[in-house]
Amino acid sequence: MTEAQKARVREQFGASAAAYVQSPGHAGGPDLDALVAWGRARGARRVLDVATGGGHTAAAFAAFSPSVIATDLTEPMLRVARDFADERRLPALRFLAADAEALPFRGGSFGVVTCRLAAHHFPGLLPPLREVARVLSGSGALLLEDILGHEDADCAAFITEVERRRDPSHVRAYSLREWVAFLRAAGLTVIDEKVFSKSRPWDDWIARMRMTPAARVELERFVLDAPARCREAFAFQVEDGRITSFADRLLLLRADRD
């Protein structure tokens, strides 16, 4: 199951890499600004960005950190992220293909590890979190951002199905309570948290994953036929029978190594 999930991630994001570099929602916003503020306050000399995607988080940290290494499972994503960084002339930033469950670094190598908008694709949380704890220095911190899971079981199941129909590599989003428990099990303690709401323009969100017209029609029918309270939980906007946008919540956590 784990290797099959990693293969799905490579398939989905290898073909969509360029779209993620260009995605405004990934490129910046108050959520990334908050992670950067936490990072500046830590002042770590060495930073690791796990599952870097388009490289936006790594590039933001490379603007003020002496050394940043960005890793990703998907080589085409690394190539476009490297091009993105080269355009910005960031000599502190390096890229490396690596699995989040087997990071190729010695223990205690980094003062900060970042991971932004990626964990909902991981086959499981505990193996990569244990790797993060291992490579962090004794005073190090994980700066994490991901989609916040809904506490209501029906609403959570609804949005998970929406996400998976659009992107088969989506696993699930976790609640704050689940994150705290997994981090504690990995040897990390949550010190600070923030929640942001982020609007997702429907057409752009769908286009990044290259859905077929038939699959898109089925997805939109699924959303429109869902209970109203599930659509309302994610602020789905519908005009003349067409979905225009929805919103999800982003959870940011700062967790220190025990």
Side-chain angles (χ1 to χ4, degrees):
M1 177 64 177
T2 295
E3 292 308 313
Q5 171 59 18
K6 292 175 185 178
R8 279 192 289 270
V9 168
R10 289 189 180 99
E11 180 181 357
Q12 287 295 119
F13 289 94
S16 303
Y20 273 82
V21 171
Q22 297 162 9
S23 165
H26 291 79
D31 52 317
L32 180 55
D33 293 343
L35 279 187
V36 166
W38 280 344
R40 285 186 182 276
R42 299 297 296 199
R45 294 194 58 79
R46 299 195 74 213
V47 175
L48 172 65
D49 186 37
V50 174
T52 195
H56 304 104
T57 304
F61 275 73
F64 60 90
S65 303
S67 174
V68 178
I69 298 177
T71 65
D72 203 276
L73 188 66
T74 306
E75 301 234 10
M77 189 68 85
L78 282 172
R79 287 197 293 271
V80 297
R82 186 180 292 111
D83 290 343
F84 169 80
D86 287 346
E87 290 173 3
R88 283 149 186 79
R89 299 183 180 179
L90 297 169
L93 178 52
R94 293 182 291 148
F95 292 88
L96 181 68
D99 187 335
E101 295 184 356
L103 296 171
F105 307 107
R106 293 192 301 272
S109 295
F110 300 94
V112 162
V113 174
T114 59
C115 183
R116 179 170 175 256
L117 299 174
H120 55 278
H121 297 289
F122 293 167
L125 285 186
L126 199 51
L129 290 179
R130 283 177 170 157
E131 276 294 272
V132 166
R134 181 184 66 80
V135 302
L136 277 173
S137 64
S139 59
L142 168 64
L143 308 182
L144 173 91
E145 176 182 347
D146 203 31
I147 304 166
L148 177 59
H150 205 286
E151 294 283 358
D152 180 277
D154 290 339
C155 293
F158 161 73
I159 201 65
T160 298
E161 182 66 14
V162 171
E163 292 272 9
R164 286 180 180 170
R165 288 187 182 213
R166 178 245 185 187
D167 172 10
S169 73
H170 180 94
V171 176
R172 59 168 293 203
Y174 296 87
S175 68
L176 174 59
R177 286 183 296 176
E178 289 174 311
W179 271 112
V180 169
F182 276 113
L183 288 162
R184 185 178 295 124
L188 297 161
T189 299
V190 174
I191 304 300
D192 202 355
E193 64 187 70
K194 296 178 185 291
V195 176
F196 292 88
S197 179
K198 199 150 200 172
S199 178
R200 308 287 187 185
W202 186 254
D203 288 344
D204 290 346
W205 191 71
I206 292 293
R208 277 201 302 278
M209 279 291 113
R210 302 165 294 105
M211 293 185 74
T212 66
R216 175 172 177 161
V217 167
E218 288 298 316
L219 172 57
E220 291 176 348
R221 183 177 297 119
F222 173 78
V223 171
L224 295 173
D225 289 346
R229 72 182 187 88
C230 290
R231 290 196 304 273
E232 291 165 1
F234 299 95
F236 273 88
Q237 300 297 307
V238 180
E239 297 178 6
D240 299 324
R242 294 182 59 84
I243 302 167
T244 58
S245 68
F246 74 103
D248 53 20
R249 294 179 300 160
L250 302 176
L251 175 65
L252 278 66
L253 296 174
R254 178 169 68 88
D256 288 1
R257 185 176 171 189
D258 294 343

